[in-house]
Amino acid sequence: GEDVEQSLFLSVREGDSSVINCTYTDSSSTYLYWYKQEPGAGLQLLTYIFSNMDMKQDQRLTVLLNKKDKHLSLRIADTQTGDSAIYFCAEERLSGGYNKLIFGAGTRLAVHP
Amino acid sequence: DGGITQSPKYLFRKEGQNVTLSCEQNLNHDAMYWYRQDPGQGLRLIYYSQIVNDFQKGDIAEGYSVSREKKESFPLTVTSAQKNPTAFYLCASSASGTNEQFFGPGTRLTVL
């Protein structure tokens, strides 16, 4: 269908790894993004991956891309309480001559002691 | 500091009134966007502008209007024709040739 899909909620213990999953729809998407939103705030770009890559690592963040299954994941190592937020994946999709971002509904990550 | 600002943070209006939300950026970005966020949903694109004096409708433009008279500014007017205007509104900008969008802090609009 048209939607970018994510599970709505994830709970992890502080210090464990978090894995947030996303499925997208357009196999021709060139870039896929992960954004973080803290309560009452705007979105902060965390990382992105180009479609010809399988993996990208940036400090505690690892992005894995499976183009065949149109599956994207974000792994946060050593999850901290400050990582509690909503995480959005977004795919870049060509529409009307313009590359627009299509966002998932967001995954709320709760980190507990 | 370079960034993107939105004002006010909270806005209350009576039903039937038009209201304008401000968005300013000093990142020298050509493109600017307005999104609407509702609880449990992703962001939906209202309007976007790739260059000064030009803008296009997004997916949910009905009941909204915009202008882009200056590169730095992209105000959004929520008109009385918008049937369900209560939401969190986010403005974003990006440089030419990239879709790496930078977001403002948002304005929460409540229509009473």
Side-chain angles (χ1 to χ4, degrees):
Chain A
E2 290 287 320
D3 292 342
V4 174
E5 296 188 349
Q6 304 177 237
S7 52
L8 291 182
F9 189 76
L10 177 65
S11 177
V12 299
R13 191 183 303 274
E14 190 174 10
D16 287 351
S17 292
S18 308
V19 180
I20 302 170
N21 294 302
C22 172
T23 55
Y24 61 98
T25 59
D26 189 348
S27 58
S28 64
S29 292
T30 49
Y31 286 94
L32 296 126
Y33 300 83
W34 283 105
Y35 282 86
K36 175 183 180 182
Q37 185 181 36
E38 296 185 2
L43 273 66
Q44 173 195 353
L45 178 64
L46 283 178
T47 187
Y48 63 90
I49 188 167
F50 189 52
S51 59
N52 69 353
M53 298 169 67
D54 297 324
M55 185 182 88
K56 180 179 180 181
Q57 186 154 3
D58 184 1
Q59 299 182 337
R60 291 191 297 123
L61 305 179
T62 303
V63 178
L64 295 178
L65 176 60
N66 180 332
K67 283 195 72 176
K68 176 175 168 291
D69 295 336
K70 300 194 194 71
H71 183 265
L72 182 72
S73 68
L74 174 70
R75 178 178 180 270
I76 306 172
D78 187 25
T79 312
Q80 303 298 308
T81 54
D83 295 323
S84 295
I86 301 175
Y87 291 81
F88 292 91
C89 69
E91 67 167 329
E92 187 174 272
R93 190 187 298 172
L94 183 62
S95 173
Y98 160 65
N99 275 328
K100 62 189 226 181
L101 292 187
I102 308 297
F103 288 84
T107 299
R108 183 178 296 274
L109 175 64
V111 183
H112 56 89
Chain B
D1 285 337
I4 181 165
T5 59
Q6 293 184 240
S7 61
K9 190 166 175 64
Y10 298 97
L11 192 53
F12 297 88
R13 278 295 181 267
K14 291 183 180 178
E15 199 171 331
Q17 289 182 332
N18 291 357
V19 60
T20 297
L21 282 59
S22 166
C23 177
E24 304 276 333
Q25 54 96 3
N26 61 4
L27 300 166
N28 201 33
H29 285 170
D30 285 315
M32 296 186 75
Y33 316 82
W34 274 105
Y35 293 92
R36 170 184 172 134
Q37 185 180 21
D38 294 284
Q41 296 190 36
L43 278 65
R44 292 184 289 169
L45 183 65
I46 304 172
Y47 268 97
Y48 63 97
S49 167
Q50 293 178 276
I51 200 165
V52 175
N53 291 322
D54 188 43
F55 50 83
Q56 288 79 37
K57 292 181 179 180
D59 300 318
I60 55 164
E62 186 175 348
Y64 299 98
S65 66
V66 292
S67 63
R68 187 83 189 277
E69 296 174 4
K70 297 188 299 183
K71 187 175 186 177
E72 303 80 18
S73 179
F74 191 40
L76 173 75
T77 296
V78 184
T79 75
S80 56
Q82 167 50 232
K83 290 185 173 53
N84 185 17
T86 294
F88 190 49
Y89 290 88
L90 287 158
C91 180
S93 68
S94 66
S96 294
T98 172
N99 223 332
E100 206 175 314
Q101 294 183 20
F102 293 83
F103 282 80
T107 292
R108 186 166 297 280
L109 173 64
T110 302
V111 175
L112 307 171

